[in-house]
Amino acid sequence: SIFQASLTDDIYEEVEELLIQTDMGMDTVTTLVANVEKQMSRKEKQNSSMVFDSLRQELISMINTHDTAIRKAPAGFPTVVFVVGVNGTGKTTSVAKLANRLLADKKKVVLAACDTFRGAAIEQLEVWAQRTGTYLVKHQHGADAAAVAFDAVESAKARGADYLLVDTAGRLHTNKNLMEELKKIKRTVEKRIPSAPHEILITIDAVTGQNAVPQVKTFHEALNLTGIILTKLDGTAKGGIVVRIQHELNIPVKFIGIGESMDDLLPFDSKEFVHALFE
Amino acid sequence: SLSEKLNSVFKNLRGYGRLSEKNIKDALREIKLALLEADVNYIVVKEFVEAVKEKAVGSKVLDSITPGQQIVKIVHDEIVRLMGGTPYPVELKGKKNRIMLVGLQGSGKTTSAAKLASYFRKKGFSPFMVALDIQRPAAMDQLAFLGKQIDVPVYLDKKEKKVVKIAEQAMEKARQTEVSLELFDTAGRLHIDDALMDELISLKNTIKPDEILFVADSMTGQDAVNSIKVFHDKLSLTGVILTKIDGDARGGAALSIKSTTGCPIRFVGIGEKINDFDVFYPERMASRVLG
Ligand SMILES: Nc1nc2c(ncn2[C@@H]2O[C@H](COP(=O)(O)OP(=O)(O)OP(=O)(O)O)[C@@H](O)[C@H]2O)c(=O)[nH]1
Ligand SMILES: Nc1nc2c(ncn2[C@@H]2O[C@H](COP(=O)(O)OP(=O)(O)OP(=O)(O)O)[C@@H](O)[C@H]2O)c(=O)[nH]1
Ligand SMILES: [Mg+2]
Ligand SMILES: [Mg+2]
């Protein structure tokens, strides 16, 4: 058709520009565009809306894991969930949101204040514990985080809690000592409940660029992550980096954060996410 | 690294003037990929590559025995130039200085307020911090904790619901003392939240700060220019503090921010402790972005 020449020249450049701006990274974009071009080459007629349909399909199939459930502990044990991640990405707020979600589901929840380092971190979680009506296990500022975790597991077991949510201090994946501290907290919990922690979620701020990949890689190598919480998606950032993360590391996004209140958490929906990438 | 990649693009050349169109095209593509991987904004990358292309087809590169190194130098110098060339830390002049800190959620404003207080105290100023984040749980406690840690007074009001009133009360209190630097920490907010952006405008009109610094996370990707453009349009920022440089984020946002808004990066956050604070050096950032 007479539109074919202009279609292939400009449309793929337009697609590349659009996808790059979602923070997907050049490698992932190149793979996607190549897949779409292959799909398009099999078609008799082509137009730009078909390109975008094919692109959406390719994206949805690239985000191939649909795992938004929180794993359950074996009967008789509280399910232990760790929330970890780089500084300021939304861990403490996400712990509050998860607690709120579980409580709405009539579950019994206990929180652990394992950020014993940052100023007023315990106070911050304390406010959330009050607002959600959850029991908080805490020690004094500067206490050993692993000791708090140990205490929290005992407390959760004694109270017959369904879930124990552990808030941890922000840390850069490049800080070896802090990554070791996190492994120690994990080992401490494993000693008390062999199958725990049952869920280790990393928070990734939607504004993060390509650095999210080494973040997830390093935390994953240290702890064996089970999922991602993509926070601050209520901003203008698209969070497209999770497509690259899924494609390269196969770690599922389980939840998205869409605001600062305790209700602002939703299970990840790949179709909605892909549609939002193009808005 | 980009220098290694560029050198390999040209490694099979011998002698002068043998650079082909393809060599230049390959080199420009490597530069584009490296800058995108470093999180430089897509539009900024396009303009940058055009600028480098113009310089690259100049005689310096064509006559060079090591065209790869020549292009690396052009790229490096262009990045340094775009980031302002030389360090430009905030310098306080008068007897009463006011600095307001603004930015997206979690970027490091509260921590940076304390770092600035300590930095300027070492320069002989008497700092005073004002807690204007009345929304985030325990935000005021966080600033109070930091103030206590560095022995700097903090003004906070847990009862007042209007931040403008808190700012006025704080400034009145400061007026009665020898305080020479007032630092205002504000709540993180989205640039698309009109009500909260209006709140910042009211605060600016009340405080009339000497400096309004946007605190940005160095791991920010393509969205960096979207947020800073709005903050800059509405507040006329006087600079940026780039935080969490102690990580391995390449920090391309630094280049995007400066080249799209002209806002100079004044300081960097290099850790969580009070002393983890430094002047921004464009040369060092250029090397980091180049990888
Ligand atoms: N708009 C928006 N803000 C969020 C979201 N999640 C968290 N925040 C805000 O981001 C800021 C940081 O959140 P925190 O929960 O303290 O982050 P953190 O990872 O625990 O921080 P550190 O413990 O200091 O590493 C706060 O101002 C939160 O209100 C979200 O989904 N949307
Ligand atoms: N590694 C590192 N961490 C930093 C740096 N600056 C701040 N942080 C950490 O980042 C997290 C967020 O810092 P805050 O000062 O609470 O950020 P904020 O902008 O005030 O957050 P909101 O008020 O919620 O918007 C904390 O864990 C800080 O310790 C830095 O330069 N390097
Ligand atoms: Mg926290
Ligand atoms: Mg703050």
Side-chain angles (χ1 to χ4, degrees):
Chain A
S1 98
I2 51 164
F3 296 105
Q4 212 143 311
S6 61
L7 171 74
T8 44
D9 278 2
D10 297 338
I11 193 75
Y12 291 111
E13 166 136 6
E14 191 186 324
V15 165
E16 173 184 290
E17 181 160 338
L18 186 90
L19 293 179
I20 293 284
Q21 301 207 21
T22 68
D23 282 315
M24 220 172 275
M26 209 47 196
D27 285 347
T28 309
V29 172
T30 307
T31 305
L32 274 167
V33 171
N35 291 351
V36 170
E37 280 185 293
K38 205 187 307 160
Q39 290 294 328
M40 289 290 106
S41 67
R42 297 188 188 136
K43 302 219 189 303
E44 290 268 320
K45 286 212 181 74
Q46 305 178 22
N47 60 43
S48 64
S49 74
M50 289 172 74
V51 170
F52 279 93
D53 284 343
S54 165
L55 182 58
R56 266 183 280 265
Q57 278 178 32
E58 287 296 321
L59 275 165
I60 291 175
S61 70
M62 202 179 247
I63 310 175
N64 53 32
T65 50
H66 298 283
D67 175 7
T68 59
I70 295 188
R71 297 176 187 188
K72 271 227 103 276
F77 292 101
T79 298
V80 182
V81 180
F82 278 22
V83 178
V84 302
V86 163
N87 307 70
T89 52
K91 296 175 293 300
T92 306
T93 311
S94 299
V95 165
K97 292 173 182 179
L98 283 169
N100 188 48
R101 187 175 174 80
L102 292 166
L103 291 165
D105 210 14
K106 304 287 191 287
K107 300 283 186 261
K108 190 158 195 196
V109 181
V110 169
L111 303 181
C114 287
D115 179 354
T116 55
F117 167 76
R118 205 205 70 209
I122 298 171
E123 285 81 342
Q124 184 185 4
L125 193 57
E126 223 160 2
V127 173
W128 284 118
Q130 287 167 17
R131 287 185 189 177
T132 53
T134 12
Y135 184 73
L136 174 68
V137 175
K138 61 180 169 110
H139 289 188
Q140 74 284 5
H141 181 264
D144 174 25
V148 181
F150 180 94
D151 222 4
V153 171
E154 293 305 290
S155 199
K157 281 165 84 185
R159 294 171 153 258
D162 299 306
Y163 288 88
L164 169 63
L165 308 183
V166 180
D167 184 24
T168 63
R171 69 204 67 220
L172 292 180
H173 51 293
T174 45
N175 188 319
K176 294 207 162 55
N177 290 342
L178 291 185
M179 293 308 292
E180 282 306 312
E181 179 200 61
L182 214 38
K183 285 184 190 168
K184 178 168 172 237
I185 300 174
K186 181 180 181 190
R187 284 195 301 272
T188 304
V189 169
E190 276 169 348
K191 286 205 186 87
R192 302 306 299 156
I193 301 178
S195 54
H198 307 94
E199 197 73 53
I200 306 188
L201 304 172
I202 184 173
T203 46
I204 295 288
D205 189 327
V207 305
T208 314
Q210 303 312 300
N211 196 247
V213 177
Q215 285 178 29
V216 175
K217 238 190 210 148
T218 310
F219 273 86
H220 187 50
E221 281 166 8
L223 307 167
N224 242 312
L225 299 172
T226 59
I228 293 169
I229 302 177
L230 183 62
T231 63
K232 310 180 201 173
L233 213 49
D234 45 317
T236 52
K238 299 290 185 180
I241 193 65
V242 299
V243 177
R244 179 175 174 187
I245 291 172
Q246 297 252 353
H247 184 56
E248 291 182 17
L249 304 170
N250 210 13
I251 297 179
V253 176
K254 295 210 170 188
F255 297 99
I256 60 172
I258 52 164
E260 302 191 66
S261 316
M262 56 176 141
D263 296 312
D264 294 328
L265 187 79
L266 293 175
F268 181 69
D269 181 320
S270 59
K271 287 206 181 64
E272 287 192 9
F273 179 78
V274 169
H275 272 287
L277 285 178
F278 295 95
E279 274 163 19
Chain B
S1 74
L2 180 62
S3 3
E4 290 165 342
K5 292 207 180 95
L6 289 178
N7 283 319
S8 83
V9 163
F10 296 108
K11 73 177 190 300
N12 293 319
L13 294 175
R14 281 180 233 279
Y16 301 91
R18 295 267 238 83
L19 276 186
S20 67
E21 276 250 349
K22 176 159 192 323
N23 292 139
I24 299 282
K25 198 156 168 286
D26 288 348
L28 293 178
R29 179 158 178 82
E30 288 301 335
I31 293 167
K32 173 184 169 185
L33 292 176
L35 292 180
L36 286 176
E37 187 61 22
D39 289 325
V40 179
N41 184 271
Y42 188 82
I43 313 280
V44 174
V45 172
K46 266 191 183 170
E47 295 169 352
F48 186 91
V49 169
E50 272 309 301
V52 168
K53 180 180 183 187
E54 278 180 29
K55 295 202 168 81
V57 295
S59 63
K60 261 203 173 155
V61 177
L62 295 179
D63 298 344
S64 168
I65 314 176
T66 54
Q69 284 188 27
Q70 203 57 35
I71 294 206
V72 170
K73 173 140 177 39
I74 289 173
V75 173
H76 176 270
D77 292 352
E78 187 63 10
I79 293 178
V80 173
R81 188 188 70 80
L82 280 175
M83 295 227 248
T86 51
Y88 177 42
V90 167
E91 292 188 3
L92 304 180
K93 311 262 159 39
K95 289 234 186 84
K96 277 270 182 262
N97 299 278
R98 299 196 176 117
I99 298 178
M100 200 169 139
L101 295 176
V102 301
L104 300 180
Q105 290 90 344
S107 61
K109 298 174 290 300
T110 305
T111 311
S112 299
K115 289 175 176 180
L116 280 166
S118 178
Y119 173 87
F120 282 113
R121 187 173 44 198
K122 291 193 189 115
K123 295 207 180 289
F125 292 87
S126 170
F128 176 77
M129 300 195 290
V130 184
L132 296 180
D133 181 353
I134 59 174
Q135 172 262 348
R136 167 177 152 155
M140 290 184 269
D141 295 335
Q142 185 185 4
L143 195 64
F145 175 90
L146 291 169
K148 190 148 168 276
Q149 203 174 42
I150 57 176
D151 195 20
V152 166
V154 175
Y155 185 90
L156 57 88
D157 186 337
K158 292 198 172 178
K159 298 228 166 63
E160 181 53 62
K161 296 292 171 221
K162 292 201 167 65
V163 281
V164 168
K165 273 207 125 279
I166 300 177
E168 287 171 339
Q169 285 164 200
M171 294 192 293
E172 184 49 39
K173 184 114 201 267
R175 223 165 267 138
Q176 302 160 9
T177 67
E178 290 294 307
V179 160
S180 54
L181 168 62
E182 295 158 46
L183 289 148
F184 298 84
D185 179 29
T186 66
R189 67 203 64 211
L190 297 176
H191 49 295
I192 50 174
D193 188 326
D194 292 337
L196 287 185
M197 291 308 290
D198 285 345
E199 178 187 87
L200 279 184
I201 295 172
S202 319
L203 277 174
K204 176 186 177 180
N205 293 336
T206 303
I207 296 168
K208 298 190 177 51
D210 302 287
E211 303 280 346
I212 304 187
L213 303 176
F214 182 82
V215 180
D217 196 320
S218 61
M219 65 191 191
T220 310
Q222 297 290 313
D223 195 59
V225 297
N226 297 334
S227 46
I228 196 167
K229 259 197 195 141
V230 175
F231 274 80
H232 189 47
D233 283 344
K234 303 208 175 207
L235 302 170
S236 297
L237 305 170
T238 61
V240 171
I241 298 178
L242 201 63
T243 62
K244 309 176 202 170
I245 291 286
D246 44 315
D248 57 0
R250 302 268 292 283
L255 184 53
S256 314
I257 283 173
K258 180 69 173 64
S259 67
T260 48
T261 63
C263 287
I265 299 173
R266 323 293 297 263
F267 296 106
V268 288
I270 54 175
E272 294 195 72
K273 302 202 214 66
I274 298 294
N275 293 333
D276 292 332
F277 192 67
D278 201 1
V279 166
F280 172 74
Y281 293 99
E283 285 278 351
R284 290 185 200 169
M285 203 67 205
S287 310
R288 183 184 179 116
V289 170
L290 273 174

